[in-house]
Amino acid sequence: MEIKPITLDVSAAFAAGTGLTSSDLEALAPQLEAARNEVCDDAILWRDGGPVPPEKQPLDAGFIDLPQRLLHEYREKREHSEVGRILATARRIAGEVDRFVVLGIGGSYMGAKALFDACCHPYHNELSRGDRGGRPRIYFEGNNIDNDAAAGLLDLFEGADPGKLDQRWAIVVISKSGGTLETAVAFRTFLAKLREQHGGDLSKIGPLVVPVTGESGRLFDLAGAIGCPDLYHIPDGVGGRFSIFTAVGLLPAAILGLDIVALLEGAAEMTRRFREEPAASNPALQYCGLGELWGRQVEAYIRVLSVWGTKLEAVGLWNDQLYAESLGKQGRGALPLTVVNTRDLHSRGQQHQEGRRDKLITNLIVDTQRRDPIAVGVSDLDQDQLNELSDKTMPQIMEAAVAGTNRAYELDGRPTCDLHLPAVNEAALGQLFQMLMLSTVTKGHLMGVNPYGQPGVEAYKQHMNAYLRGKE
Ligand code: PA5
């Protein structure tokens, strides 16, 4: 399949007054390439089974070659491969139910949400089954402990008749550790509802629950007790926020009918470019290098991902989590922030234009829209004075907004760069997710911070558990 590349244009970051120059980025190339080589060596170390030196632990470098490995296995073994099995489960679930809930938190749901928002109809859940292409509606829970949010979703399933396709529902429960409290509590609650509606018959419930988890743990044990016929493993060495190309992201995406092979092909192509291309043309290295310069030269630590389109907001939030959990360690790490434009020009634009000079802005721009362009059109009610723009379309207005905003920032010496997606589709998103993951771990190598693991998150869990169990 021909993959249209995503492209990164960093030239506007070097406008007068930004404090950054293109020669600084060029001078950084040897360090970027050395860090890239270390990342690639880590992938080999992980593949060969170690031994992993203590300073590299944990080493979750399994994500780097995962897309290639999955594609290779799929081509060799088809329905007996991981991708083949995921596609079969997805077809079965899509055929048997009209709604499914994804239970998971952090890296165990954000990728699926990003793919859903970006690729599906913006009102997917409101459409008829036919208009959804026979694919079920999707809901997300277990990503919080919000009583009323969970109760609200349970309301939707209240009284569902399992004999009727349009009322049947299923659960995809995702937790690598299998012990995360938020997800576990939600699973118990939703499982109880499903059980009640199927007269407590576990043999009927098992096929409607698909767990995605590690190779042992509480969720793994629970899956065995329920008798779930389909169970997916998150491989060792692929951390939560790096797991979008495992069943964590692929299974919900496949249930929704997304092209997961194209997604993996996009990701594999980005890994190839990361390995082979020099820093000057390597998007992951350029992106990483610009962030590094922003910290080093200007000592500024806010990274804004400015997504130009509502459907990319969850992609931005996925990236916020990736960056923050990977690099926010040892008293270091920049603050990642997603803004959705033009929406947030009306809430944050003032500060980005005239506030502290601590923000590096990356525009995530979509070059082609999926739907026919909507034109302003002529109206006999021209009090809004839009007739003079009657031939303009929404994509043209968006283009003018991007150009106008970039120009305003440039004139004020505010650094920006443009990351272009040829379209919002699986192949482009595969490249983007992999680029951001590779760039983040490369940045970790430059900073001397292990990007894997999230030791700091354990502290809240321990205290929360201690309070709940009366030990604190
Ligand atoms: O990136 C990570 O590892 C985390 O965000 C985890 O995905 C999150 O804490 C959920 O963990 P688990 O999948 O074990 O429930």
Side-chain angles (χ1 to χ4, degrees):
M1 174 184 134
E2 197 212 335
I3 295 173
K4 281 198 183 148
I6 65 172
T7 54
L8 177 68
D9 179 356
V10 295
S11 54
F14 308 122
T18 62
L20 305 176
T21 67
S22 59
S23 44
D24 291 332
L25 186 57
E26 279 154 29
L28 200 60
Q31 285 177 64
L32 288 167
E33 289 170 4
R36 178 264 311 274
N37 295 344
E38 284 174 28
V39 170
C40 294
D41 288 348
D42 285 349
I44 295 169
L45 181 66
W46 179 85
R47 185 199 64 198
D48 294 348
V52 178
E55 71 279 7
K56 279 190 181 289
Q57 285 174 359
L59 180 68
D60 284 345
F63 83 93
I64 297 167
D65 290 322
L66 182 67
Q68 287 92 323
R69 278 202 312 279
L70 288 175
L71 286 168
H72 178 74
E73 191 205 28
Y74 180 55
R75 284 177 195 127
E76 298 277 302
K77 301 189 185 161
R78 304 308 288 189
E79 71 269 27
H80 302 295
S81 66
E82 178 81 349
V83 171
R85 285 184 57 230
I86 288 172
L87 289 170
T89 302
R91 268 193 305 273
R92 182 178 70 72
I93 293 289
E96 286 181 6
V97 305
D98 200 48
R99 299 175 284 186
F100 75 114
V101 198
V102 174
L103 302 178
I105 193 166
S108 286
Y109 92 100
M110 298 183 87
K113 177 82 165 80
L115 285 165
F116 166 58
D117 283 9
C119 293
C120 290
H121 189 288
Y123 297 97
H124 174 90
N125 281 358
E126 316 296 321
L127 301 178
S128 69
R129 187 169 171 88
D131 286 342
R132 280 181 270 125
R135 301 290 166 172
R137 303 170 211 271
I138 184 170
Y139 302 90
F140 294 91
E141 252 302 333
N143 55 12
N144 207 340
I145 297 283
D146 182 328
N147 184 71
D148 290 3
L153 184 53
L154 286 165
D155 284 347
L156 293 190
F157 298 137
E158 191 58 47
D161 178 349
K164 295 188 175 148
L165 174 62
D166 65 346
Q167 295 184 29
R168 281 168 69 87
W169 56 284
I171 299 172
V172 174
V173 53
I174 307 174
S175 175
K176 182 168 181 189
S177 62
T180 302
L181 192 62
E182 290 89 336
T183 305
V185 169
F187 185 41
R188 180 171 284 210
T189 312
F190 282 82
L191 184 66
K193 174 67 76 188
L194 199 60
R195 225 172 152 180
E196 169 198 311
Q197 291 174 351
H198 287 265
D201 185 345
L202 284 185
S203 69
K204 291 191 178 137
I205 297 164
L208 298 176
V209 176
V210 188
V212 181
T213 187
E215 291 183 5
S216 61
R218 295 176 192 175
L219 178 56
F220 179 84
D221 294 344
L222 203 44
I226 297 165
C228 304
D230 292 320
L231 169 74
Y232 288 90
H233 292 303
I234 306 167
D236 271 349
V238 179
R241 58 194 172 277
F242 298 94
S243 67
I244 187 167
F245 299 126
T246 70
V248 171
L250 298 181
L251 179 64
I255 295 174
L256 292 166
L258 304 189
D259 185 346
I260 60 171
V261 172
L263 187 71
L264 291 169
E265 283 176 341
E269 171 60 8
M270 184 52 69
T271 304
R272 185 197 65 72
R273 292 186 66 189
F274 177 71
R275 278 218 159 85
E276 295 176 7
E277 292 191 9
S281 65
N282 190 316
L285 294 187
Q286 290 274 294
Y287 187 66
C288 170
L290 203 53
E292 179 69 10
L293 284 184
W294 188 236
R296 276 192 204 178
Q297 316 274 113
V298 190
E299 292 199 31
Y301 299 102
I302 296 183
R303 304 289 167 69
V304 179
L305 186 66
S306 186
V307 304
W308 292 85
T310 314
K311 59 177 171 271
L312 293 175
E313 182 164 21
V315 171
L317 297 178
W318 172 90
N319 179 59
D320 287 353
Q321 187 235 0
L322 170 72
Y323 196 96
E325 250 188 359
S326 301
L327 302 176
K329 293 168 183 162
Q330 303 164 20
R332 304 180 60 200
L335 172 76
L337 175 71
T338 292
V339 302
V340 180
N341 285 342
T342 63
R343 185 189 78 188
D344 293 345
L345 290 176
H346 296 258
S347 60
R348 293 183 181 274
Q350 167 61 36
Q351 189 179 42
H352 293 183
Q353 181 73 51
E354 292 185 346
R356 293 172 73 96
R357 294 183 179 276
D358 51 6
K359 296 166 203 73
L360 171 64
I361 297 178
T362 300
N363 295 301
L364 184 57
I365 300 166
V366 181
D367 291 341
T368 52
Q369 300 293 319
R370 211 173 287 158
R371 307 290 300 268
D372 290 343
I374 298 172
V376 172
V378 179
S379 171
D380 55 345
L381 297 171
D382 191 36
Q383 283 74 7
D384 52 15
Q385 298 183 14
L386 288 179
N387 277 352
E388 62 179 329
L389 299 178
S390 62
D391 61 333
K392 297 285 184 249
T393 63
M394 285 203 182
Q396 288 170 329
I397 297 170
M398 185 63 118
E399 215 175 292
V402 177
T405 309
N406 272 352
R407 180 72 180 137
Y409 291 159
E410 184 192 351
L411 290 173
D412 199 51
R414 309 256 165 184
T416 61
C417 67
D418 291 345
L419 186 50
H420 284 268
L421 299 185
V424 179
N425 58 29
E426 293 88 337
L429 289 169
Q431 294 175 71
L432 176 68
F433 290 124
Q434 191 74 346
M435 182 201 120
L436 293 169
M437 290 192 283
L438 291 167
S439 168
T440 300
V441 296
T442 307
K443 185 77 172 71
H445 277 264
L446 283 180
M447 292 166 64
V449 163
N450 184 344
Y452 306 115
Q454 56 282 339
V457 182
E458 295 310 313
Y460 106 83
K461 290 187 193 166
Q462 280 163 12
H463 290 297
M464 176 171 73
N465 267 302
Y467 284 129
L468 281 170
R469 294 169 207 280
K471 293 185 184 154
E472 195 162 306

